[in-house]
Amino acid sequence: MRIGLDMCSKRGDVMGAIKFYDLAQREEIKLEQYHYTVLLYLCSSAAVGVVRPAKSGSGSRTLDTLDSSASEETRVNSMELGSGNWDGRGLNTSTLDTEQLVDTNGSNGEKMGFDDLDGTSDEKENLAWFSNGFVKRNSRLLDGLNYPTKGGDDSSNLKDGSIKQEDNRIRVSEEVKKYALQRGFEIYEKMCLDNVPMNEAALTSVARMAMSMGDGDMAFDMVKQMKSLGINPRLRSYGPALSAFCHSGDIDKAFAVEKHMLDHGVYPEEPELEALLRVSVGVGKGDKVYYMLHKLRTSVRRVSPSTADLIMNWFHSKEAARVGKIKWDPRLIREAIENGGGGWHGQGWLGKGKWSVLRTTIGADGLCKCCGEKLATIDLDPVETENFAESVASIAIKREKNSSFQKFQKWLDYYGPFEAVVDGANVGLFSQKKFIPSKVNAVVNGIRQKLPSKRWPLIVLHNRRISGGKMDERVNRALIEKWQNADALYATPTGSNDDWYWLYAAIKFKCLLVTNDEMRDHIFQLLGNDFFPRWKERHQVHFSFSDAGPVFHMPPPCSVVIQESEEGHWHIPVVSEHDCEAERTWLCIMRSKSRLERNDSATRPEDAQPLCRDNGNARSATRTGVESQPLKNGKQKYTKHQPREFFENIKDILSGSMISDCHSIVPDIATAEKIGGCVIDFQI
């Protein structure tokens, strides 16, 4: 029975699992919590229309999604209800195994695997309990209830009793949905009659079946039961109730679910926040939308493309144009921004009227290339930073042997502080498997030139990297000795993890950390998901190599997080696949009237024109149609512009020079004039 249910779970075979249940009833086999959990999961998955077979998880956690896109249809497990040639076991003996199957896409970093069952070790070896279908972000829906998409749901095209497999998801017909729902509740009632102890997985499955009927109240009741049974609800436990209420537009009950989550120490992530934002936008509740934008700011920081589209829909709506204060005290707004650390005030919508939403990027100077507004660099709380350093040290001390980490702390106290820390192994192994000290030397020399004091950075290397083999060659030995003589090298002892050393040093001295390590390993997961990403954003320096030497990608010029300005404007970063922050898309949002006023100021008469900005770079706002050039007799000669390519070259020279601080642009202008054979007229 166990092995058979395991295989049904592996194949996503809900009909086969139900037949095993019927066999158990006929043979009077007593089912246990483990068996009921598998059966309820498969029935609840079929009830919402999508069953996820084993080994079909994806890399990111989302809520259940039905993909309405068409793909080549593959018939699997096709059978008519209550019929079919079945040998009494339903097994394909050639595929039987007891392979451990785990869905690694659990919420809040938890594994949705064997721990969701009854916890006995022998049972954990056989079954995978897969969570609520965490799949790719395409059409967005919460726990199986579809929101409108361009393609629409084509499940109606499935013939009665048929099952369709797409992209590792098995979609079932309406007939199978109804049958699975009916049998699922029957199995749940039998579980109650047999007094089989409930667990979180079973109750969540029942909640999903309730959600498939649109019964959010019943789904929410399943979560409320957990506490009385001594079960701690998980993030996935709330998905069905939240989905049902959001889909029906019952905003009060949807936010009651959110309150229950927070009261029980469960924190919503972007899929849950997006669902709450969607229902808030749908009913036109401006105060709730404002609340959700700030929840996204603190919890997510940068939004997915689907959430960005939803935010744009809100700002284009009539309701968004109507909300906001006409009068406010700028002093109170500034105080709120200062008290919050910068980048937001939380005082509600400011202004009234239609909004303008444009996609933009942020320049190297931290200026929005659309509106020219300077984005904030949000300060890290010094107390938080100190606590973070202590937590890193405490974890490292427990894991390192022979008090090696305490010795490192004393070494830092004696030789510190440092303005930068270099992860030597990450640099020396860049793009190859062999450690090359000359690469470390190039990066060290390069980053030194960017430091105010020009002093040596701290280089952290494992002791096996600095001796033996090619490291004893004269050139390499000279580099090691140079670093040692400068008190810039720390060799971590045998058996230690050098990651803890360079991370702690960078946190302790609040300095730059040169590494391409994204710090996603399990050891960094111990540090939590709140403060650590913010710290990385402000301190990590990525690097690469070009023909001219190392290239450094310094921390972004502003905090990559949703920002609310003093005037009530918004800048919202969108999740990007690019490593370079200069290519990240942002939403620039302000009242249309404010944008028009800014545009008007850029086209004022020449004699009153200030320096304005284009694409993040300073430029002159004077006329550019005609250039004047003095002749020998003192008269002016007017010439038309040269070809566009020529002036693009001049623009590049000027724009590059304007970004640099403490440099006169006069030599660059002279160079441009010499190249172009003309005189450049400009005003400052």
Side-chain angles (χ1 to χ4, degrees), residues 223-384:
V223 182
K224 293 175 181 177
Q225 281 184 34
M226 292 183 187
K227 209 64 182 176
S228 61
L229 295 173
I231 301 169
N232 291 322
R234 296 183 179 184
L235 182 56
R236 64 174 184 176
S237 310
Y238 291 93
L242 190 61
S243 170
F245 292 140
C246 288
H247 188 67
S248 64
D250 195 333
I251 188 169
D252 293 331
K253 290 183 177 180
F255 277 91
V257 173
E258 188 229 11
K259 183 178 184 303
H260 195 277
M261 293 170 71
L262 298 176
D263 291 343
H264 290 80
V266 178
Y267 298 97
E269 296 176 359
E270 187 171 10
E272 291 76 26
L273 296 176
E274 183 182 352
L276 289 165
L277 178 62
R278 188 181 298 277
V279 71
S280 301
V281 171
V283 300
K285 285 278 191 179
D287 57 335
K288 293 297 186 184
V289 173
Y290 187 84
Y291 168 74
M292 292 315 303
L293 284 177
H294 279 289
K295 290 289 287 186
L296 287 166
R297 178 184 62 80
T298 56
S299 302
V300 179
R301 295 175 65 79
R302 57 206 76 173
V303 302
S304 66
S306 60
T307 304
D309 291 340
L310 185 56
I311 291 171
M312 292 177 69
N313 290 342
W314 161 254
F315 282 104
H316 286 144
S317 69
K318 293 180 180 178
E319 291 80 4
R322 296 190 187 111
V323 299
K325 305 172 185 176
I326 298 177
K327 295 182 179 180
W328 63 87
D329 187 343
R331 181 179 57 82
L332 293 177
I333 299 295
R334 285 192 294 271
E335 286 180 1
I337 291 175
E338 186 176 346
N339 294 336
W344 68 285
H345 56 75
Q347 300 300 302
W349 303 110
L350 302 183
K352 279 189 183 292
K354 291 183 178 179
W355 293 86
S356 169
V357 184
L358 298 176
R359 294 181 183 271
T360 185
T361 55
I362 304 301
D365 50 6
L367 296 173
C368 172
K369 292 186 179 181
C370 184
C371 68
E373 190 167 300
K374 175 72 174 175
L375 270 63
T377 299
I378 299 172
D379 295 332
L380 296 174
D381 186 348
V383 176
E384 255 188 315

Side-chain angles (χ1 to χ4, degrees), residues 4-296:
L5 286 175
D6 288 354
M7 293 307 300
C8 290
S9 175
K10 183 173 182 177
R11 296 191 301 260
D13 183 4
V14 60
M15 301 302 291
I18 291 173
K19 288 185 175 181
F20 272 108
Y21 171 76
D22 291 337
L23 172 66
Q25 299 310 302
R26 288 197 303 271
E27 300 291 334
E28 297 183 353
I29 299 171
K30 181 177 172 62
L31 299 182
E32 298 174 356
Q33 184 190 69
Y34 179 88
H35 306 105
Y36 282 112
T37 299
V38 181
L39 290 162
L40 288 173
Y41 167 69
L42 288 171
C43 287
S44 66
S45 297
V48 299
V50 179
V51 181
R52 298 281 292 180
K55 290 189 175 179
S56 59
S58 67
S60 60
R61 195 197 76 79
T62 68
L63 296 168
D64 272 357
T65 306
L66 287 180
D67 186 4
S68 58
S69 60
S71 64
E72 186 177 353
E73 211 169 292
T74 305
R75 298 291 180 186
V76 294
N77 300 328
S78 183
M79 60 187 72
E80 292 189 6
L81 302 180
S83 65
N85 298 324
W86 184 54
D87 63 1
R89 295 184 301 154
L91 302 178
N92 179 353
T93 56
S94 64
T95 61
L96 276 182
D97 60 41
T98 56
E99 182 178 6
Q100 182 172 339
L101 307 167
V102 180
D103 178 6
T104 59
N105 299 299
S107 58
N108 291 332
E110 59 191 336
K111 296 275 188 183
M112 297 298 189
F114 307 115
D115 290 338
D116 296 304
L117 300 169
D118 61 4
T120 57
S121 59
D122 60 329
E123 289 173 343
K124 290 179 182 180
E125 293 176 357
N126 291 322
L127 175 71
W129 158 243
F130 289 89
S131 62
N132 300 343
F134 298 151
V135 293
K136 299 176 183 176
R137 296 179 189 271
N138 29 42
S139 69
R140 291 290 299 171
L141 73 125
L142 182 65
D143 253 308
L145 294 179
N146 202 2
Y147 293 110
T149 57
K150 291 182 180 179
D153 186 1
D154 62 353
S155 62
S156 59
N157 296 331
L158 297 178
K159 296 178 182 179
D160 288 348
S162 69
I163 301 173
K164 172 183 174 183
Q165 184 167 358
E166 290 182 358
D167 300 331
N168 294 323
R169 288 168 296 170
I170 299 174
R171 300 178 59 218
V172 301
S173 68
E174 289 298 322
E175 194 68 28
V176 174
K177 287 182 188 178
K178 293 176 183 176
Y179 182 73
L181 181 65
Q182 171 196 333
R183 297 304 305 271
F185 277 115
E186 177 187 321
I187 292 168
Y188 171 62
E189 290 174 5
K190 178 65 174 165
M191 186 178 183
C192 295
L193 288 173
D194 289 349
N195 293 319
V196 177
M198 291 291 168
N199 60 6
E200 183 271 339
L203 291 172
T204 298
S205 293
V206 177
R208 297 180 76 214
M209 293 190 292
M211 176 209 65
S212 70
M213 302 186 301
D215 192 342
D217 292 318
M218 181 180 178
F220 198 13
D221 285 340
M222 292 296 109
V223 182
K224 293 175 181 177
Q225 281 184 34
M226 292 183 187
K227 209 64 182 176
S228 61
L229 295 173
I231 301 169
N232 291 322
R234 296 183 179 184
L235 182 56
R236 64 174 184 176
S237 310
Y238 291 93
L242 190 61
S243 170
F245 292 140
C246 288
H247 188 67
S248 64
D250 195 333
I251 188 169
D252 293 331
K253 290 183 177 180
F255 277 91
V257 173
E258 188 229 11
K259 183 178 184 303
H260 195 277
M261 293 170 71
L262 298 176
D263 291 343
H264 290 80
V266 178
Y267 298 97
E269 296 176 359
E270 187 171 10
E272 291 76 26
L273 296 176
E274 183 182 352
L276 289 165
L277 178 62
R278 188 181 298 277
V279 71
S280 301
V281 171
V283 300
K285 285 278 191 179
D287 57 335
K288 293 297 186 184
V289 173
Y290 187 84
Y291 168 74
M292 292 315 303
L293 284 177
H294 279 289
K295 290 289 287 186
L296 287 166

Side-chain angles (χ1 to χ4, degrees), residues 576-601:
S576 170
E577 295 179 358
H578 303 292
D579 291 333
C580 181
E581 283 297 331
E583 299 179 25
R584 181 183 297 281
T585 297
W586 289 67
L587 301 183
C588 174
I589 305 170
M590 62 173 62
R591 302 282 181 179
S592 297
K593 183 179 179 182
S594 298
R595 199 179 295 280
L596 287 173
E597 289 173 353
R598 291 193 178 215
N599 291 339
D600 289 343
S601 68

